Amino acid sequence: MNQHADRLRTLAIAFYRSFAFPTGETLRRWAVAAVVVNAGITVTGAAVRLTGSGLGCPTWPRCTPTSFVPARNDLHSPLNMSIEFGNRLLSFLVLAVAAACVIAAVRLGRPGYDRPRPVLVRLAALQPAGVVLQALWGGLVVRTMLNPVTVSVHFLLSIGMMAAACALLARSGEGDGPPRRLVHRDIRTLGFVLTAAVFVLLIAGVVVTGTGPHSGDQAASRFGFDIQSVVRLHTDVAYVVVGLTFALLFALHVTDSPGRARRAALVLLGVELAQGVIGYVQYFLAVPALLVGFHVLGSTLVWIATLRVVFLLRSRGPAEAPASERPELHHAAA
């Protein structure tokens, strides 16, 4: 029992120090946490829609007109209300991680350290700002009765927050020098083109989602597009993305580029192929909700893996150690 208590105490102290007395490594861990929670709430948000719980809490910011928590409602089942309310509660977890990112970025400039790195503070600040924007936009989603435009933007805002968290992760592990290419200029340009293509793929995906079934509630409206046409468009863009990824992987291999970049591109290709398999299976099985949920998860993984590849195609040099960790400064003071 004492051993478990000591372990919990050690973990609690490490948790506190990770943002009260941060290092570059602990800031990177908080950035990873930001990526994970933003991807997670994107998937749980899809689960709300896939279970028909989109209007389980029919008002905002309250769950019902008279209560902030689920209350008896003849229009919605207790299960639907609990699912929607649970997803709202997860926003506080995302906010907590966002606040920890900001505190860690700012506290890197505490006494004994250099001043905070402005780029890290700005990138970290995007997290709580994004949470607030998402919360307000979520209210608009509810007030517009799950209009597919507002639902689509809700998803794309999460994609943007994931990108900001990935940027924080990358920048916290490197210096502030000008970016230096680690690959040929044309290969880096191909990486940017691939990122743009993946973003277009995500937009095409939300159009398919807003046109097909699983609207989140019987009262929700749908896009008026032909579902077969938008699915074909989405598939065509997916083929372009896979082709660009294969071209990037091949170019990295034949030019003997850094191993980390090659491995990241290979992981991206694997995620894309798995996502393609899920997409085809869900289409031929008449779009079962469970597979749609996995497809949403796959879309976030494709986006994260793409950003990781792009960041590994260049370097800004190693991050400078904080003042309290530089041996030469301790010797000078002595």
Side-chain angles (χ1 to χ4, degrees):
M1 186 69 177
N2 290 335
Q3 184 178 3
H4 291 301
D6 289 341
R7 182 173 177 79
L8 288 174
R9 188 181 302 110
T10 300
L11 291 174
I13 293 173
F15 173 75
Y16 170 73
R17 292 185 63 86
S18 68
F19 57 84
F21 303 99
T23 64
E25 178 60 29
T26 55
L27 178 57
R28 286 192 291 276
R29 290 175 184 174
W30 280 117
V32 170
V35 174
V36 171
V37 296
N38 278 294
I41 200 168
T42 301
V43 176
T44 59
V48 170
R49 176 174 53 82
L50 294 170
T51 56
S53 307
L55 292 177
C57 287
T59 63
W60 188 94
R62 291 184 172 89
C63 183
T64 69
T66 59
S67 175
F68 282 96
V69 298
R72 182 177 179 81
N73 190 315
D74 294 335
L75 298 178
H76 303 281
S77 71
L79 178 60
N80 289 145
M81 298 186 75
S82 299
I83 292 173
E84 163 62 1
F85 183 70
N87 190 64
R88 291 189 182 190
L89 288 181
L90 285 177
S91 299
F92 291 99
L93 173 61
V94 181
L95 181 60
V97 172
C101 288
V102 174
I103 295 171
V106 172
R107 291 283 293 174
L108 278 172
R110 69 186 188 277
Y113 280 61
D114 297 323
R115 66 184 179 86
R117 292 172 59 189
V119 63
L120 298 184
V121 175
R122 288 195 297 268
L123 287 171
L126 289 175
Q127 293 303 307
V131 174
V132 173
L133 178 59
Q134 279 284 60
L136 294 175
W137 194 267
L140 183 61
V141 170
V142 172
R143 291 177 181 274
T144 58
M145 302 291 287
L146 306 183
N147 182 282
V149 174
T150 59
V151 174
S152 299
V153 173
H154 205 34
F155 173 82
L156 295 176
L157 287 174
S158 291
I159 291 297
M161 290 184 65
M162 277 182 257
C166 288
L168 177 63
L169 174 61
R171 292 305 309 273
S172 61
E174 61 186 12
D176 292 325
R180 177 176 59 86
R181 288 186 288 105
L182 299 178
V183 297
H184 189 276
R185 177 184 59 193
D186 294 340
I187 296 178
R188 192 174 181 212
T189 300
L190 179 58
F192 291 141
V193 173
L194 172 61
T195 304
V198 171
F199 186 70
V200 172
L201 178 63
L202 294 174
I203 294 176
V206 297
V207 172
V208 173
T209 298
T211 305
H214 308 301
S215 62
D217 192 271
Q218 292 182 349
S221 60
R222 301 273 77 197
F223 286 127
F225 305 121
D226 175 65
I227 186 62
Q228 297 292 336
S229 298
V230 293
V231 167
R232 281 196 294 269
L233 175 62
H234 182 56
T235 304
D236 290 342
V237 178
Y239 281 132
V240 171
V241 167
V242 172
L244 289 172
T245 304
F246 182 80
L248 178 63
L249 180 61
F250 180 77
L252 290 171
H253 180 74
V254 299
T255 57
D256 196 26
S257 297
R260 291 183 66 196
R262 281 181 284 155
R263 289 190 295 272
L266 183 61
V267 169
L268 172 60
L269 182 61
V271 173
E272 290 171 352
L273 294 177
Q275 177 76 332
V277 170
I278 294 174
Y280 272 109
V281 172
Q282 73 171 8
Y283 178 77
F284 288 114
L285 293 181
V287 201
L290 180 61
L291 284 182
V292 175
F294 280 115
H295 202 56
V296 172
L297 173 61
S299 68
T300 65
L301 296 179
V302 168
W303 179 237
I304 293 168
T306 301
L307 295 174
R308 182 168 181 266
V309 171
V310 172
F311 279 118
L312 288 176
L313 299 181
R314 93 289 179 274
S315 172
R316 293 178 180 269
E320 185 175 313
S324 63
E325 297 178 6
R326 294 181 209 158
E328 69 274 12
L329 295 185
H330 290 290
H331 293 321

